[in-house]
Amino acid sequence: SAWSLGTIAAPLAVGCFVQALLGAWSHLLPAIGPGDTTAHRRQRERLGRAATLRLVALNLGIALVVLGGVVAFSALTLAGAVLVGGTIAGSIVIFVSAFRLARAELLANEPLRVGPAG
């Protein structure tokens, strides 16, 4: 049968893991990342950019990978893998951007130190 567990389990497990990881990062970065409440609000805004589109693209890519594997159509699998990879890469860029935004605000708000520390 084309619908064997081995054919669909790996892509679905990886998709579940990636979605859990991206969701955790989206929650934890503004919750415990650098900065004050204003910086955390800006991080949440940055992380929310195209969130629905990224979620749909990731799930569509995973579905294409599974479907391409089931029907043995490598172009479909490749398109799904590119979509998943692009979504993950785009999410990582947004996470790094949100972290740098908060870090820059934190550094900008630090008082200027002159003379020896102590």
Side-chain angles (χ1 to χ4, degrees):
S1 169
W3 287 97
S4 70
L5 182 60
T7 304
I8 63 171
L12 292 178
V14 170
C16 180
F17 173 75
V18 168
Q19 286 188 56
L21 189 61
L22 294 177
W25 287 349
S26 295
H27 171 72
L28 289 174
L29 181 60
I32 62 172
D36 57 7
T37 56
T38 302
H40 291 168
R41 180 183 52 79
R42 288 193 179 110
Q43 284 178 324
R44 284 190 299 275
E45 289 170 356
R46 175 94 27 113
L47 291 168
R49 288 185 182 167
T52 302
L53 177 63
R54 288 184 286 135
L55 180 65
V56 169
L58 181 63
N59 282 306
L60 179 60
I62 292 166
L64 291 175
V65 168
V66 170
L67 187 59
V70 168
V71 298
F73 188 53
S74 59
L76 200 56
T77 304
L78 179 62
V82 168
L83 191 56
V84 168
T87 303
I88 293 170
S91 294
I92 290 171
V93 167
I94 290 172
F95 292 134
V96 169
S97 171
F99 181 81
R100 286 184 176 169
L101 173 73
R103 187 166 176 255
E105 287 182 14
L106 182 66
L107 293 175
N109 291 332
E110 280 188 5
L112 182 61
R113 295 183 187 153
V114 180

